[in-house]
Amino acid sequence: MAGRARGLCHIAFHVPAGQPLALNLQRLFGFQPLAAREAGGWRQLALRSGDAVFLVNEGAGAGDPLYGVDPRHPVPSATNLCFDVEDLDAAVRALAAQGCRVPVPPVSVKDVQGTVTYAVLSSPAGNLSLTLMARAGYRGLFLPGFRPVRSAPGPGWVSHVDHLTLACTAGSSPALRRWFHDCLGFHHLPLSPGEDPELGLEVAAGSGRGGLRLTALQTPPGTAVPTLVLAESLPGATSRPDQVEQFLARHRGPGLQHVGLYTPSILEAAKGMVVAGGRLLTPPKAYYQQPGKEGQIRAAGHKPSLLAQQGILIDGDKGKFLLQVFTKSLFAEDTFFLELIERQGATGFGQNNIRALWQSVQEEATRDQET
C-alpha cells in the first residue's frame, strides 16, 4: 500500500453561491460553525458535530479552494475526503510511482498555530478527490488559512462519522476495492460469513426488483478512519431506476451518496432534527408489522410506537442491535443524504433494513412522480 490513512480529517462539499447546505447543516442537523475562510472567489466554512467535520466550499473561484480541488461538477456534490497520513512525502512518491494522478503536489500552509502539509489525489470514484494531510503538532482549531468561528455548543446529537457510502456503477466495486487497498491501506470487511471480496454482499430487494451489492472496506485496527462502503445495483426487472441508478443519473456519475453519522441516542437525535425542520425518510407502513419486529424492538429496550413515530429502523438479535434512520436529500438534485446510526453491539449495516430502505425510497420516488 502506498499511503496508509490514519484518520478522517473532514468531508468537503462543492455548492454554488447561495446554496443553503451550510445553513441547513446548522439549522436542521445540529452542526456548529468551526472555522471560515473567504478568498479567491470561495467562501469556505467548516462545520462540526462531535468529531464529524464537514467543509462547505461555496462559490466558484478562478483557482482551487484551499485543501482541495474544484471538480467543476455540474451539480452540488460531496467532492473530497481528507485523510491524515503519517509520512505525506513518502506516500505521494509511492502513489505517483503507482500511476496515481496527484493534481496538487505537497504544499505547506502555516500560521501562528503551526504548519500543515497536504496533497490532493485523484480517485477512480467519479468526481471524488482525496486530500492527504500531515497535521501532527498543529494546535489551531481547524487548519491554517481559516479564522476560528466561535459558536454556542451544539446539541450533541452526533459523535463521529460511522461510515461513508459510495454509489458505484455496476461491476466497478472490485476495481475500486483494489484501488483503496493499494493506495490507502483499506482491506475487505466481510458483512456475512465466508463473503467473497469480489462479490461483496448481495441484498436482494425481492420480487425480482433488483437490490444492492455492498462491499465494505476498513483500515487496520488503531486507525480512526470510518468504514467505506461501495454500493452498486443488482440487475432486476424494475419498472423504474432504483436509488443507486437514480443517483448515478442525477449526480452525472459515481460519487459519495451518503454519510453515516453515529449517534449515542438515535431517538433524541431524530426527534431533535424533526423538531428543527429536518426531513426523515419514512419506511414502508408494513415495516413495523413484520413478524417478530415488535419483539425485536422491545428486546433492544425501545417502544415500537416511538420508533415508528420517528421512522427508525432496527435490525439484529442475540442482544446486538443496529438502529438507523435516513434523511431526505440535502440537495434539490437528490444526490446526497445523511444517515443516523446507533449501534448496540452490532456491526454491519442492517441487511433487512437495507431492503426496507430500498422499498421506502422507491415509494418516495413514486409519490414524487404522482405529485
Side-chain angles (χ1 to χ4, degrees):
M1 66 195 70
R4 177 175 293 179
R6 298 191 308 168
L8 177 69
C9 304
H10 62 259
I11 302 164
F13 299 79
H14 276 65
V15 300
Q19 205 281 343
L21 175 62
L23 178 62
N24 287 340
L25 287 172
Q26 298 174 65
R27 184 170 56 90
L28 306 178
F29 302 112
F31 280 74
Q32 297 297 306
L34 175 65
R37 175 180 181 268
E38 292 192 32
W42 294 99
R43 181 178 185 271
Q44 297 179 268
L45 179 64
L47 304 107
R48 179 171 61 191
S49 185
D51 290 334
V53 178
F54 287 177
L55 176 60
V56 179
N57 299 316
E58 182 179 336
D64 291 325
L66 193 58
Y67 302 109
V69 293
D70 180 7
R72 303 290 173 181
H73 203 61
V75 297
S77 180
T79 57
N80 179 273
L81 301 176
C82 180
F83 295 106
D84 274 316
V85 295
E86 186 169 353
D87 189 336
L88 178 65
D89 289 333
V92 170
R93 285 195 300 270
L95 288 163
Q98 284 187 196
C100 295
R101 195 167 70 87
V102 185
V104 180
V107 58
S108 294
V109 186
K110 62 182 179 179
D111 62 16
V112 295
Q113 302 296 330
T115 301
V116 165
T117 304
Y118 75 96
V120 182
L121 175 71
S122 294
S123 88
N127 69 324
L128 190 68
S129 64
L130 305 174
T131 295
L132 307 184
M133 181 174 290
R135 58 174 183 173
Y138 182 70
R139 303 179 303 277
L141 193 61
F142 180 53
L143 292 170
F146 284 74
R147 58 174 178 80
V149 176
R150 304 295 178 182
S151 59
W157 294 331
V158 169
S159 62
H160 61 276
V161 175
D162 179 86
H163 63 275
L164 307 158
T165 296
L166 299 178
C168 310
T169 54
S172 67
S173 293
L176 287 171
R177 176 185 62 81
R178 288 189 290 271
W179 190 90
F180 278 100
H181 173 271
D182 295 343
C183 294
L184 291 176
F186 283 84
H187 64 270
H188 177 234
L189 171 64
L191 297 177
S192 63
E195 178 184 316
D196 186 338
E198 290 292 306
L199 299 177
L201 173 67
E202 293 189 0
V203 183
S207 304
R209 292 181 293 179
L212 284 178
R213 184 191 311 280
L214 300 178
T215 305
L217 309 173
Q218 66 179 20
T219 52
T223 59
V225 179
T227 300
L228 182 65
V229 182
L230 310 177
E232 61 177 73
S233 297
L234 291 174
T238 57
S239 58
R240 62 180 63 86
D242 60 52
Q243 65 261 41
V244 172
E245 293 168 332
Q246 289 177 349
F247 175 92
L248 295 175
R250 294 169 177 171
H251 185 260
R252 318 286 178 87
L256 188 64
Q257 182 208 37
H258 77 268
V259 171
L261 299 172
Y262 188 87
T263 174
S265 175
I266 197 167
L267 277 169
E268 178 185 347
K271 180 179 180 181
M273 290 180 182
V274 169
V275 169
R279 300 185 303 153
L280 304 181
L281 201 61
T282 303
K285 294 180 180 179
Y287 175 81
Y288 299 97
Q289 280 74 51
Q290 295 178 82
K293 183 59 67 177
E294 180 177 345
Q296 184 185 46
I297 294 172
R298 293 191 184 281
H302 294 284
K303 294 182 178 179
S305 59
L306 291 181
L307 262 61
Q309 183 179 359
Q310 301 297 341
I312 295 170
L313 309 175
I314 186 169
D315 200 4
D317 57 13
K318 299 179 180 179
K320 295 182 179 181
F321 299 97
L322 176 76
L323 296 98
Q324 300 163 287
V325 68
F326 303 85
T327 73
K328 294 189 178 182
S329 178
L330 274 61
F331 297 136
E333 292 80 3
D334 198 18
T335 54
F336 179 81
F337 60 91
L338 299 173
E339 173 186 349
L340 293 176
I341 184 167
E342 179 185 341
R343 298 183 183 275
Q344 297 181 7
T347 58
F349 298 94
Q351 298 177 33
N352 294 322
N353 287 349
I354 292 169
R355 294 185 182 92
L357 172 64
W358 189 272
Q359 295 167 9
S360 64
V361 171
Q362 297 301 96
E363 291 180 4
E364 180 76 17
T366 300
R367 287 194 292 269
D368 289 345
Q369 290 176 357
E370 291 174 350
T371 57

